Amino acid sequence: MKVAIMGAGLSGLSCAITLEKQRIHPVVFEKRNRVGDRFVNAEAVFNILNKPYNNCLEYIKNEYGIEFKGINDINRVNFHSKNEVGSIKGNLGKSNIRGRQKDSFEEQLRKQYKGEIIYNSQYSYEELAKEFTHVVLATGDGAYSIKLNNYTIGLTATLKGATVEGNFDDNLISIWFNHEFAPKGYAYIIPYSDKEANIVISYPDYTETKERDLNYMWNSFYNKICNDMKQSLKITDRFEITRYIIGICKRPKIDNTYFVGNCFGAISPALGFGQFTSILTGIYAAEDMIGLKKYEEQTKVLIENYNNSLLIRKALESLSDNQLDFMIKNLDNKITDKLIDKIHSDETEFDLLKWASYVLKPFYVV
Ligand SMILES: Cc1cc2nc3c(=O)[nH]c(=O)nc-3n(C[C@H](O)[C@H](O)[C@H](O)COP(=O)(O)OP(=O)(O)OC[C@H]3O[C@@H](n4cnc5c(N)ncnc54)[C@H](O)[C@@H]3O)c2cc1C
């Protein structure tokens, strides 16, 4: 078996490490000149969105022997609407670093992979498919899946973000649903530490949102966040992404080509989380090649999660500021606290995505 993995990111390297443990030695092709050569970004892995796993990163370590060190425990998420703030508390997940940083998730994976990475690769999928018996597409976007007519686009999004300096509670993530600066989308802050954080706005590209002035919305968010946090944040780095594709592949595997990570459709449309699913798809593709479990079978639940998450996204987009105020105000109550406790308990397999998609279904607008 000759395996080529296109992309040395989360899914590609997770796949490579899993194969290597079974003495299958893939070749990893990376188009950049090093692993993680992109903007530095704070991201998060949320346990409560990934039931039945109580601790996603521990699960990956115990089950597959791949280690990830996050930076901070997240024990509170504040949700802000135009006029209200609500929160959920508990062992919610972990924040982590991505990009060109020595402790980024992709760097941590690179250190665990002993095999070959060919940097500055310009090989196309077609060229690799001729030379190798198996090809894993792990390029971090839907472009190849679309080109191979194997992808359904759910939406595309515009993202603008920055690294900021200030004073932060590094166990707290805040999310804003506010049509003024994130029309039909959301904005958030994830701290790297008590002195540095990442702030981002993300909203879907529709005719009405594309007409809005991105710089105006960014300034409005920046002012709002400084106001809410009662401090002036110093911007030290910036990034902007246009037409970020969120969608799902039609088939996770075609002949001996595997679609993993964002090529598979790892990003959940509701809030943009994709790391855990990217890691899982990389591992699952390797398990299929090893002959342990079928990739199509293992990814069924991930496709179902994507569909539930898309429904939540569409429902959220249709809520007015008043409806968002109502929802968020009601987060701080005993029922929500009980629900979060139930999700945390070891015994339950309560599926938050499924539940939320059911509750929000009446708001769903095609
Ligand atoms: C701003 C932002 C914030 C996010 N926040 C979160 C979050 O908080 N939590 C969360 O869970 N998820 C988050 N995500 C999503 C998450 O980052 C992705 O789902 C995940 O990184 C995808 O992993 P991957 O393996 O598919 O791609 P990546 O990890 O991006 O790796 C792709 C690799 O392929 C390489 N490559 C590209 N083209 C080629 C080619 N032609 N040949 C060879 N190599 C190639 C790239 O250089 C890169 O190294 C966020 C995404 C963005 C953009």
PDB file of all heavy atoms in Angstrom, residues 274-290:
ATOM      1  N   GLY A 274     -14.488  22.751  14.128  1.00  0.00           N
ATOM      2  CA  GLY A 274     -14.168  21.686  13.174  1.00  0.00           C
ATOM      3  C   GLY A 274     -12.963  20.858  13.556  1.00  0.00           C
ATOM      4  O   GLY A 274     -12.635  19.880  12.881  1.00  0.00           O
ATOM      5  N   GLN A 275     -12.305  21.227  14.654  1.00  0.00           N
ATOM      6  CA  GLN A 275     -11.044  20.549  14.975  1.00  0.00           C
ATOM      7  C   GLN A 275     -11.241  19.085  15.346  1.00  0.00           C
ATOM      8  O   GLN A 275     -10.551  18.209  14.834  1.00  0.00           O
ATOM      9  CB  GLN A 275     -10.350  21.262  16.139  1.00  0.00           C
ATOM     10  CG  GLN A 275      -9.945  22.692  15.821  1.00  0.00           C
ATOM     11  CD  GLN A 275      -9.094  23.273  16.926  1.00  0.00           C
ATOM     12  OE1 GLN A 275      -7.896  23.417  16.766  1.00  0.00           O
ATOM     13  NE2 GLN A 275      -9.687  23.584  18.051  1.00  0.00           N
ATOM     14  N   PHE A 276     -12.188  18.809  16.254  1.00  0.00           N
ATOM     15  CA  PHE A 276     -12.360  17.433  16.740  1.00  0.00           C
ATOM     16  C   PHE A 276     -12.761  16.512  15.580  1.00  0.00           C
ATOM     17  O   PHE A 276     -12.211  15.418  15.413  1.00  0.00           O
ATOM     18  CB  PHE A 276     -13.404  17.427  17.864  1.00  0.00           C
ATOM     19  CG  PHE A 276     -13.596  16.093  18.527  1.00  0.00           C
ATOM     20  CD1 PHE A 276     -12.519  15.418  19.085  1.00  0.00           C
ATOM     21  CD2 PHE A 276     -14.858  15.511  18.602  1.00  0.00           C
ATOM     22  CE1 PHE A 276     -12.698  14.178  19.701  1.00  0.00           C
ATOM     23  CE2 PHE A 276     -15.043  14.285  19.219  1.00  0.00           C
ATOM     24  CZ  PHE A 276     -13.968  13.611  19.762  1.00  0.00           C
ATOM     25  N   THR A 277     -13.701  16.986  14.759  1.00  0.00           N
ATOM     26  CA  THR A 277     -14.144  16.168  13.623  1.00  0.00           C
ATOM     27  C   THR A 277     -13.001  15.974  12.624  1.00  0.00           C
ATOM     28  O   THR A 277     -12.857  14.903  12.029  1.00  0.00           O
ATOM     29  CB  THR A 277     -15.370  16.822  12.939  1.00  0.00           C
ATOM     30  OG1 THR A 277     -16.396  16.944  13.915  1.00  0.00           O
ATOM     31  CG2 THR A 277     -15.889  16.015  11.777  1.00  0.00           C
ATOM     32  N   SER A 278     -12.159  17.012  12.446  1.00  0.00           N
ATOM     33  CA  SER A 278     -11.017  16.876  11.531  1.00  0.00           C
ATOM     34  C   SER A 278     -10.081  15.773  12.019  1.00  0.00           C
ATOM     35  O   SER A 278      -9.643  14.917  11.244  1.00  0.00           O
ATOM     36  CB  SER A 278     -10.243  18.194  11.433  1.00  0.00           C
ATOM     37  OG  SER A 278     -11.047  19.161  10.818  1.00  0.00           O
ATOM     38  N   ILE A 279      -9.783  15.792  13.319  1.00  0.00           N
ATOM     39  CA  ILE A 279      -8.893  14.773  13.886  1.00  0.00           C
ATOM     40  C   ILE A 279      -9.517  13.383  13.715  1.00  0.00           C
ATOM     41  O   ILE A 279      -8.865  12.432  13.260  1.00  0.00           O
ATOM     42  CB  ILE A 279      -8.624  15.078  15.383  1.00  0.00           C
ATOM     43  CG1 ILE A 279      -7.886  16.409  15.528  1.00  0.00           C
ATOM     44  CG2 ILE A 279      -7.846  13.947  16.048  1.00  0.00           C
ATOM     45  CD1 ILE A 279      -7.953  17.027  16.920  1.00  0.00           C
ATOM     46  N   LEU A 280     -10.824  13.284  14.061  1.00  0.00           N
ATOM     47  CA  LEU A 280     -11.495  11.979  13.950  1.00  0.00           C
ATOM     48  C   LEU A 280     -11.488  11.457  12.521  1.00  0.00           C
ATOM     49  O   LEU A 280     -11.204  10.275  12.291  1.00  0.00           O
ATOM     50  CB  LEU A 280     -12.952  12.087  14.431  1.00  0.00           C
ATOM     51  CG  LEU A 280     -13.204  12.178  15.933  1.00  0.00           C
ATOM     52  CD1 LEU A 280     -14.700  12.249  16.211  1.00  0.00           C
ATOM     53  CD2 LEU A 280     -12.598  10.992  16.680  1.00  0.00           C
ATOM     54  N   THR A 281     -11.775  12.331  11.548  1.00  0.00           N
ATOM     55  CA  THR A 281     -11.842  11.830  10.156  1.00  0.00           C
ATOM     56  C   THR A 281     -10.459  11.347   9.692  1.00  0.00           C
ATOM     57  O   THR A 281     -10.362  10.343   8.984  1.00  0.00           O
ATOM     58  CB  THR A 281     -12.397  12.892   9.181  1.00  0.00           C
ATOM     59  OG1 THR A 281     -11.687  14.124   9.385  1.00  0.00           O
ATOM     60  CG2 THR A 281     -13.880  13.122   9.375  1.00  0.00           C
ATOM     61  N   GLY A 282      -9.407  12.046  10.114  1.00  0.00           N
ATOM     62  CA  GLY A 282      -8.053  11.591   9.775  1.00  0.00           C
ATOM     63  C   GLY A 282      -7.804  10.192  10.329  1.00  0.00           C
ATOM     64  O   GLY A 282      -7.324   9.292   9.636  1.00  0.00           O
ATOM     65  N   ILE A 283      -8.166  10.001  11.596  1.00  0.00           N
ATOM     66  CA  ILE A 283      -7.965   8.693  12.248  1.00  0.00           C
ATOM     67  C   ILE A 283      -8.841   7.615  11.582  1.00  0.00           C
ATOM     68  O   ILE A 283      -8.384   6.507  11.285  1.00  0.00           O
ATOM     69  CB  ILE A 283      -8.302   8.806  13.759  1.00  0.00           C
ATOM     70  CG1 ILE A 283      -7.285   9.713  14.456  1.00  0.00           C
ATOM     71  CG2 ILE A 283      -8.336   7.432  14.409  1.00  0.00           C
ATOM     72  CD1 ILE A 283      -7.659  10.117  15.876  1.00  0.00           C
ATOM     73  N   TYR A 284     -10.104   7.972  11.335  1.00  0.00           N
ATOM     74  CA  TYR A 284     -11.034   6.993  10.743  1.00  0.00           C
ATOM     75  C   TYR A 284     -10.566   6.549   9.346  1.00  0.00           C
ATOM     76  O   TYR A 284     -10.703   5.380   8.984  1.00  0.00           O
ATOM     77  CB  TYR A 284     -12.441   7.591  10.623  1.00  0.00           C
ATOM     78  CG  TYR A 284     -13.173   7.838  11.936  1.00  0.00           C
ATOM     79  CD1 TYR A 284     -14.329   8.627  11.958  1.00  0.00           C
ATOM     80  CD2 TYR A 284     -12.731   7.282  13.138  1.00  0.00           C
ATOM     81  CE1 TYR A 284     -15.013   8.871  13.141  1.00  0.00           C
ATOM     82  CE2 TYR A 284     -13.416   7.518  14.323  1.00  0.00           C
ATOM     83  CZ  TYR A 284     -14.556   8.326  14.315  1.00  0.00           C
ATOM     84  OH  TYR A 284     -15.237   8.564  15.492  1.00  0.00           O
ATOM     85  N   ALA A 285     -10.028   7.505   8.569  1.00  0.00           N
ATOM     86  CA  ALA A 285      -9.546   7.139   7.220  1.00  0.00           C
ATOM     87  C   ALA A 285      -8.397   6.139   7.357  1.00  0.00           C
ATOM     88  O   ALA A 285      -8.330   5.137   6.621  1.00  0.00           O
ATOM     89  CB  ALA A 285      -9.082   8.387   6.475  1.00  0.00           C
ATOM     90  N   ALA A 286      -7.510   6.389   8.328  1.00  0.00           N
ATOM     91  CA  ALA A 286      -6.386   5.461   8.548  1.00  0.00           C
ATOM     92  C   ALA A 286      -6.919   4.091   8.968  1.00  0.00           C
ATOM     93  O   ALA A 286      -6.438   3.051   8.490  1.00  0.00           O
ATOM     94  CB  ALA A 286      -5.453   6.033   9.618  1.00  0.00           C
ATOM     95  N   GLU A 287      -7.918   4.080   9.838  1.00  0.00           N
ATOM     96  CA  GLU A 287      -8.468   2.788  10.303  1.00  0.00           C
ATOM     97  C   GLU A 287      -9.077   2.000   9.150  1.00  0.00           C
ATOM     98  O   GLU A 287      -9.034   0.763   9.136  1.00  0.00           O
ATOM     99  CB  GLU A 287      -9.523   3.038  11.389  1.00  0.00           C
ATOM    100  CG  GLU A 287      -8.894   3.495  12.698  1.00  0.00           C
ATOM    101  CD  GLU A 287      -9.826   3.396  13.889  1.00  0.00           C
ATOM    102  OE1 GLU A 287     -11.043   3.624  13.716  1.00  0.00           O
ATOM    103  OE2 GLU A 287      -9.346   3.114  14.993  1.00  0.00           O
ATOM    104  N   ASP A 288      -9.656   2.707   8.193  1.00  0.00           N
ATOM    105  CA  ASP A 288     -10.212   2.033   7.018  1.00  0.00           C
ATOM    106  C   ASP A 288      -9.080   1.379   6.209  1.00  0.00           C
ATOM    107  O   ASP A 288      -9.160   0.218   5.811  1.00  0.00           O
ATOM    108  CB  ASP A 288     -10.970   3.061   6.164  1.00  0.00           C
ATOM    109  CG  ASP A 288     -11.732   2.425   5.019  1.00  0.00           C
ATOM    110  OD1 ASP A 288     -11.096   1.959   4.054  1.00  0.00           O
ATOM    111  OD2 ASP A 288     -12.977   2.404   5.093  1.00  0.00           O
ATOM    112  N   MET A 289      -7.978   2.154   6.006  1.00  0.00           N
ATOM    113  CA  MET A 289      -6.853   1.613   5.220  1.00  0.00           C
ATOM    114  C   MET A 289      -6.215   0.420   5.922  1.00  0.00           C
ATOM    115  O   MET A 289      -5.791  -0.541   5.294  1.00  0.00           O
ATOM    116  CB  MET A 289      -5.805   2.711   4.988  1.00  0.00           C
ATOM    117  CG  MET A 289      -6.250   3.707   3.932  1.00  0.00           C
ATOM    118  SD  MET A 289      -4.999   4.971   3.656  1.00  0.00           S
ATOM    119  CE  MET A 289      -5.651   6.319   4.579  1.00  0.00           C
ATOM    120  N   ILE A 290      -6.177   0.494   7.254  1.00  0.00           N
ATOM    121  CA  ILE A 290      -5.577  -0.601   8.031  1.00  0.00           C
ATOM    122  C   ILE A 290      -6.485  -1.838   7.993  1.00  0.00           C
ATOM    123  O   ILE A 290      -6.049  -2.960   8.217  1.00  0.00           O
ATOM    124  CB  ILE A 290      -5.353  -0.127   9.503  1.00  0.00           C
ATOM    125  CG1 ILE A 290      -4.326   1.007   9.551  1.00  0.00           C
ATOM    126  CG2 ILE A 290      -4.890  -1.265  10.398  1.00  0.00           C
ATOM    127  CD1 ILE A 290      -4.392   1.842  10.824  1.00  0.00           C
TER     128      ILE A 290
END
